[in-house]
Amino acid sequence: MTSMNGAALPGAWPERIRALGRGELAPVSPRAAATVLLLRDDAAGGGGPTVHMLRRRASMAFAGGAYAYPGGGVDPRDERPVGWAGPSLEVWAATLGVPPRQAQAVVCAAVRETFEESGVLLAGPDGGTVVADTTGADWESDRAALVTHDLAFADFLARRALVLRSDLLAPWARWITPEFEERRYDTWFFLAVLPDGQRPRDVCGEADRTVWLRPADALSGYDRGELTMLPPTVATLRALLPYGTATAALAAAPGRDLTPVLARAAVAETGEIVLSWPGHEEFTVVVPAESETEAKTEAKTEAKTEAETEAETEAEAGPDAEAGPDRGPGPGDEDAR
């Protein structure tokens, strides 16, 4: 993983971009994912909303050390019927631009992943309430079972007689991982205000730090090269700057452009690679041809780290562990967070 002005750029990218340009690389189909910018107003007052962020462990195979939001890939079981409150699936389908079943899966993934990675649950006994405390041992047991895929989200809600509060989510953006990436996600970013009585917990095994940051402070750290973030994270933070409260940000969500942002890569005759994200010129990167050798070396190091991480995970899980989908983001995964 390299970093340019705080932007995380996997070292394998240059070589894969060239292979894609030569027709030697078939793009992987992106997996649907969701991530949530959990907001609360600055306790000091007058500072605008703050965002709950996670720093991915440096050992993670993808985006290690990058700051992101709770989130991840859709579980196929997220399409199962659940207690539902808020806009209908037809409304969500029209908003997200996907069929109703996929719209439900994306929304369920957003709520489920937020609970799995922060302990915050956007659900309640009915359409007008939200659970106030999820810190007990029984809640933690269910959260852990969701993480290991021993418990489906639909069964979790049904057993506790809860309905998913889809009205507490506001669609904010949509990014798709570049075609040359090995792990690709079609990720919807949502806003949500922290429910009264709930507090995020540092429960995400993929993170080594959790923090509440004002968007301006997070972006200042990124601009100084002190905080590593991927383009979707930076862009969604910048979009929050005009709003003085978390409620104001959510109110501005309807009508936002959810056209997917997909990176473009071009190889010049000189051998330079120009990587850009349409509509987000600040992320344009020019990779000199002479840096390719260095990039290949770094890519090999990343591949070794990924293999070691997966081996450690398998050893910890044991031979009888159920194989679950790769964790997303988001934030975290590259374009999932």
Short mmCIF file of all heavy atoms in Angstrom, two decimals, residues 41-80:
data_model
loop_
_atom_site.label_atom_id
_atom_site.label_comp_id
_atom_site.label_asym_id
_atom_site.label_seq_id
_atom_site.Cartn_x
_atom_site.Cartn_y
_atom_site.Cartn_z
N ASP A 41 -23.87 15.02 16.68
CA ASP A 41 -23.42 16.41 16.76
C ASP A 41 -22.28 16.54 17.75
O ASP A 41 -22.20 15.81 18.75
CB ASP A 41 -24.59 17.32 17.15
CG ASP A 41 -25.60 17.45 16.04
OD1 ASP A 41 -25.20 17.40 14.86
OD2 ASP A 41 -26.81 17.57 16.33
N ASP A 42 -21.39 17.47 17.47
CA ASP A 42 -20.22 17.71 18.32
C ASP A 42 -20.70 18.06 19.72
O ASP A 42 -21.48 18.99 19.93
CB ASP A 42 -19.40 18.87 17.73
CG ASP A 42 -18.07 19.06 18.45
OD1 ASP A 42 -17.87 18.42 19.49
OD2 ASP A 42 -17.25 19.84 17.96
N ALA A 43 -20.23 17.28 20.71
CA ALA A 43 -20.65 17.50 22.09
C ALA A 43 -20.28 18.89 22.59
O ALA A 43 -20.96 19.46 23.45
CB ALA A 43 -20.02 16.44 23.00
N ALA A 44 -19.22 19.47 22.03
CA ALA A 44 -18.79 20.80 22.46
C ALA A 44 -19.71 21.88 21.92
O ALA A 44 -19.72 23.01 22.43
CB ALA A 44 -17.36 21.06 22.00
N GLY A 45 -20.48 21.55 20.91
CA GLY A 45 -21.40 22.52 20.34
C GLY A 45 -20.73 23.44 19.33
O GLY A 45 -19.58 23.84 19.50
N GLY A 46 -21.46 23.74 18.27
CA GLY A 46 -20.97 24.69 17.28
C GLY A 46 -19.96 24.14 16.31
O GLY A 46 -19.50 24.85 15.41
N GLY A 47 -19.57 22.89 16.48
CA GLY A 47 -18.55 22.33 15.61
C GLY A 47 -19.07 21.49 14.47
O GLY A 47 -18.29 20.93 13.72
N GLY A 48 -20.40 21.38 14.35
CA GLY A 48 -20.97 20.56 13.30
C GLY A 48 -20.96 19.09 13.68
O GLY A 48 -20.53 18.70 14.78
N PRO A 49 -21.43 18.23 12.79
CA PRO A 49 -21.50 16.80 13.11
C PRO A 49 -20.12 16.15 13.15
O PRO A 49 -19.16 16.64 12.54
CB PRO A 49 -22.34 16.24 11.96
CG PRO A 49 -22.07 17.16 10.82
CD PRO A 49 -21.93 18.53 11.44
N THR A 50 -20.03 15.06 13.89
CA THR A 50 -18.83 14.24 13.89
C THR A 50 -19.19 12.87 13.31
O THR A 50 -20.35 12.45 13.34
CB THR A 50 -18.25 14.07 15.30
OG1 THR A 50 -19.24 13.50 16.16
CG2 THR A 50 -17.81 15.41 15.86
N VAL A 51 -18.18 12.18 12.78
CA VAL A 51 -18.39 10.90 12.10
C VAL A 51 -17.62 9.81 12.83
O VAL A 51 -16.46 10.01 13.21
CB VAL A 51 -17.91 10.96 10.63
CG1 VAL A 51 -18.28 9.67 9.90
CG2 VAL A 51 -18.50 12.16 9.92
N HIS A 52 -18.26 8.67 13.01
CA HIS A 52 -17.60 7.53 13.64
C HIS A 52 -16.76 6.82 12.59
O HIS A 52 -17.26 6.38 11.55
CB HIS A 52 -18.64 6.56 14.21
CG HIS A 52 -18.07 5.35 14.87
ND1 HIS A 52 -17.32 5.42 16.02
CD2 HIS A 52 -18.13 4.04 14.55
CE1 HIS A 52 -16.95 4.21 16.39
NE2 HIS A 52 -17.43 3.35 15.51
N MET A 53 -15.44 6.69 12.85
CA MET A 53 -14.54 6.09 11.88
C MET A 53 -13.70 4.99 12.53
O MET A 53 -13.42 5.03 13.74
CB MET A 53 -13.63 7.14 11.25
CG MET A 53 -14.39 8.28 10.58
SD MET A 53 -13.32 9.37 9.59
CE MET A 53 -13.00 8.30 8.17
N LEU A 54 -13.31 4.03 11.71
CA LEU A 54 -12.48 2.92 12.14
C LEU A 54 -11.15 2.98 11.39
O LEU A 54 -11.12 3.33 10.22
CB LEU A 54 -13.14 1.58 11.82
CG LEU A 54 -14.63 1.41 12.08
CD1 LEU A 54 -15.12 0.09 11.50
CD2 LEU A 54 -14.92 1.48 13.57
N ARG A 55 -10.06 2.65 12.04
CA ARG A 55 -8.79 2.50 11.34
C ARG A 55 -8.51 1.01 11.16
O ARG A 55 -8.39 0.27 12.13
CB ARG A 55 -7.63 3.14 12.10
CG ARG A 55 -6.32 3.10 11.30
CD ARG A 55 -5.21 3.84 12.03
NE ARG A 55 -4.84 3.20 13.28
CZ ARG A 55 -3.98 3.70 14.16
NH1 ARG A 55 -3.42 4.89 13.91
NH2 ARG A 55 -3.70 3.06 15.29
N ARG A 56 -8.48 0.60 9.88
CA ARG A 56 -8.25 -0.81 9.59
C ARG A 56 -6.85 -1.24 10.03
O ARG A 56 -5.89 -0.49 9.89
CB ARG A 56 -8.42 -1.06 8.08
CG ARG A 56 -9.86 -0.90 7.64
CD ARG A 56 -10.00 -0.95 6.13
NE ARG A 56 -9.53 -2.21 5.57
CZ ARG A 56 -10.25 -3.32 5.53
NH1 ARG A 56 -11.45 -3.34 6.06
NH2 ARG A 56 -9.77 -4.41 4.97
N ARG A 57 -6.75 -2.44 10.56
CA ARG A 57 -5.46 -2.96 11.02
C ARG A 57 -4.46 -2.98 9.87
O ARG A 57 -4.80 -3.29 8.73
CB ARG A 57 -5.63 -4.37 11.59
CG ARG A 57 -6.44 -4.41 12.87
CD ARG A 57 -6.47 -5.82 13.45
NE ARG A 57 -7.29 -5.86 14.66
CZ ARG A 57 -6.87 -5.52 15.86
NH1 ARG A 57 -5.62 -5.11 16.02
NH2 ARG A 57 -7.68 -5.57 16.90
N ALA A 58 -3.22 -2.68 10.18
CA ALA A 58 -2.18 -2.66 9.15
C ALA A 58 -2.00 -4.02 8.50
O ALA A 58 -1.55 -4.12 7.35
CB ALA A 58 -0.86 -2.19 9.75
N SER A 59 -2.37 -5.09 9.20
CA SER A 59 -2.21 -6.43 8.67
C SER A 59 -3.32 -6.84 7.70
O SER A 59 -3.24 -7.90 7.07
CB SER A 59 -2.17 -7.45 9.82
OG SER A 59 -3.38 -7.39 10.57
N MET A 60 -4.36 -6.00 7.57
CA MET A 60 -5.46 -6.35 6.68
C MET A 60 -4.97 -6.44 5.24
O MET A 60 -4.15 -5.63 4.80
CB MET A 60 -6.58 -5.32 6.79
CG MET A 60 -7.29 -5.31 8.14
SD MET A 60 -8.13 -6.86 8.49
CE MET A 60 -9.39 -6.84 7.23
N ALA A 61 -5.50 -7.42 4.52
CA ALA A 61 -5.06 -7.64 3.13
C ALA A 61 -5.40 -6.47 2.24
O ALA A 61 -4.71 -6.21 1.25
CB ALA A 61 -5.69 -8.92 2.58
N PHE A 62 -6.46 -5.73 2.57
CA PHE A 62 -6.84 -4.61 1.73
C PHE A 62 -6.99 -3.35 2.58
O PHE A 62 -7.62 -3.37 3.62
CB PHE A 62 -8.16 -4.90 0.99
CG PHE A 62 -8.39 -3.98 -0.16
CD1 PHE A 62 -7.95 -4.32 -1.43
CD2 PHE A 62 -9.00 -2.76 0.03
CE1 PHE A 62 -8.14 -3.47 -2.50
CE2 PHE A 62 -9.19 -1.90 -1.03
CZ PHE A 62 -8.76 -2.26 -2.29
N ALA A 63 -6.40 -2.26 2.10
CA ALA A 63 -6.52 -0.95 2.75
C ALA A 63 -6.07 -0.98 4.20
O ALA A 63 -6.66 -0.29 5.04
CB ALA A 63 -7.96 -0.41 2.63
N GLY A 64 -5.04 -1.74 4.51
CA GLY A 64 -4.52 -1.76 5.86
C GLY A 64 -4.04 -0.38 6.29
O GLY A 64 -3.34 0.30 5.56
N GLY A 65 -4.43 0.04 7.50
CA GLY A 65 -4.04 1.33 8.03
C GLY A 65 -4.93 2.48 7.59
O GLY A 65 -4.75 3.62 8.05
N ALA A 66 -5.91 2.22 6.72
CA ALA A 66 -6.77 3.29 6.24
C ALA A 66 -7.96 3.51 7.17
O ALA A 66 -8.48 2.56 7.78
CB ALA A 66 -7.28 2.97 4.83
N TYR A 67 -8.39 4.75 7.28
CA TYR A 67 -9.59 5.09 8.04
C TYR A 67 -10.82 4.87 7.15
O TYR A 67 -10.80 5.21 5.96
CB TYR A 67 -9.54 6.53 8.53
CG TYR A 67 -8.66 6.72 9.74
CD1 TYR A 67 -7.28 6.78 9.62
CD2 TYR A 67 -9.22 6.82 11.02
CE1 TYR A 67 -6.46 6.93 10.74
CE2 TYR A 67 -8.41 6.98 12.14
CZ TYR A 67 -7.04 7.03 12.00
OH TYR A 67 -6.24 7.17 13.10
N ALA A 68 -11.87 4.30 7.74
CA ALA A 68 -13.06 3.98 6.98
C ALA A 68 -14.27 4.03 7.90
O ALA A 68 -14.17 4.45 9.06
CB ALA A 68 -12.92 2.60 6.34
N TYR A 69 -15.42 3.59 7.39
CA TYR A 69 -16.66 3.54 8.15
C TYR A 69 -17.07 2.08 8.33
O TYR A 69 -16.61 1.20 7.60
CB TYR A 69 -17.79 4.27 7.42
CG TYR A 69 -17.41 5.58 6.79
CD1 TYR A 69 -17.44 5.75 5.40
CD2 TYR A 69 -17.02 6.67 7.57
CE1 TYR A 69 -17.10 6.96 4.81
CE2 TYR A 69 -16.68 7.88 7.00
CZ TYR A 69 -16.72 8.02 5.60
OH TYR A 69 -16.38 9.22 5.02
N PRO A 70 -17.97 1.81 9.29
CA PRO A 70 -18.49 0.44 9.39
C PRO A 70 -19.16 0.05 8.07
O PRO A 70 -19.90 0.84 7.49
CB PRO A 70 -19.51 0.53 10.53
CG PRO A 70 -19.11 1.74 11.32
CD PRO A 70 -18.54 2.70 10.32
N GLY A 71 -18.93 -1.16 7.62
CA GLY A 71 -19.56 -1.59 6.38
C GLY A 71 -18.97 -2.87 5.87
O GLY A 71 -17.97 -3.38 6.40
N GLY A 72 -19.59 -3.42 4.82
CA GLY A 72 -19.09 -4.65 4.24
C GLY A 72 -20.01 -5.17 3.17
O GLY A 72 -21.00 -4.54 2.79
N GLY A 73 -19.69 -6.35 2.68
CA GLY A 73 -20.42 -6.94 1.58
C GLY A 73 -21.78 -7.50 2.00
O GLY A 73 -22.02 -7.84 3.16
N VAL A 74 -22.67 -7.60 1.01
CA VAL A 74 -23.99 -8.18 1.23
C VAL A 74 -23.86 -9.68 1.47
O VAL A 74 -23.12 -10.36 0.78
CB VAL A 74 -24.90 -7.89 0.02
CG1 VAL A 74 -26.15 -8.77 0.05
CG2 VAL A 74 -25.29 -6.42 -0.02
N ASP A 75 -24.58 -10.18 2.46
CA ASP A 75 -24.71 -11.60 2.71
C ASP A 75 -25.92 -12.07 1.90
O ASP A 75 -26.96 -11.41 1.94
CB ASP A 75 -24.93 -11.83 4.21
CG ASP A 75 -25.02 -13.29 4.60
OD1 ASP A 75 -25.52 -14.12 3.81
OD2 ASP A 75 -24.59 -13.63 5.73
N PRO A 76 -25.84 -13.19 1.17
CA PRO A 76 -27.01 -13.66 0.42
C PRO A 76 -28.27 -13.76 1.27
O PRO A 76 -29.39 -13.57 0.79
CB PRO A 76 -26.57 -15.03 -0.09
CG PRO A 76 -25.08 -14.92 -0.21
CD PRO A 76 -24.66 -14.05 0.95
N ARG A 77 -28.10 -14.01 2.58
CA ARG A 77 -29.27 -14.12 3.46
C ARG A 77 -29.89 -12.78 3.78
O ARG A 77 -30.97 -12.72 4.39
CB ARG A 77 -28.85 -14.84 4.75
CG ARG A 77 -28.38 -16.28 4.53
CD ARG A 77 -27.90 -16.92 5.82
NE ARG A 77 -26.73 -16.22 6.35
CZ ARG A 77 -26.14 -16.56 7.50
NH1 ARG A 77 -26.61 -17.57 8.22
NH2 ARG A 77 -25.08 -15.89 7.92
N ASP A 78 -29.22 -11.68 3.38
CA ASP A 78 -29.80 -10.35 3.59
C ASP A 78 -31.05 -10.13 2.73
O ASP A 78 -31.78 -9.16 2.94
CB ASP A 78 -28.77 -9.26 3.27
CG ASP A 78 -27.69 -9.17 4.33
OD1 ASP A 78 -27.96 -9.53 5.50
OD2 ASP A 78 -26.56 -8.75 4.00
N GLU A 79 -31.30 -11.03 1.77
CA GLU A 79 -32.51 -10.93 0.95
C GLU A 79 -33.72 -11.57 1.62
O GLU A 79 -34.83 -11.43 1.14
CB GLU A 79 -32.28 -11.58 -0.42
CG GLU A 79 -31.30 -10.84 -1.31
CD GLU A 79 -31.25 -11.42 -2.71
OE1 GLU A 79 -31.96 -12.43 -2.96
OE2 GLU A 79 -30.51 -10.88 -3.55
N ARG A 80 -33.51 -12.28 2.72
CA ARG A 80 -34.63 -12.93 3.39
C ARG A 80 -35.57 -11.90 3.99
O ARG A 80 -35.13 -10.83 4.44
CB ARG A 80 -34.10 -13.87 4.48
CG ARG A 80 -33.39 -15.10 3.93
CD ARG A 80 -32.81 -15.94 5.04
NE ARG A 80 -33.77 -16.21 6.10
CZ ARG A 80 -33.49 -16.91 7.21
NH1 ARG A 80 -32.26 -17.38 7.38
NH2 ARG A 80 -34.40 -17.11 8.11
#
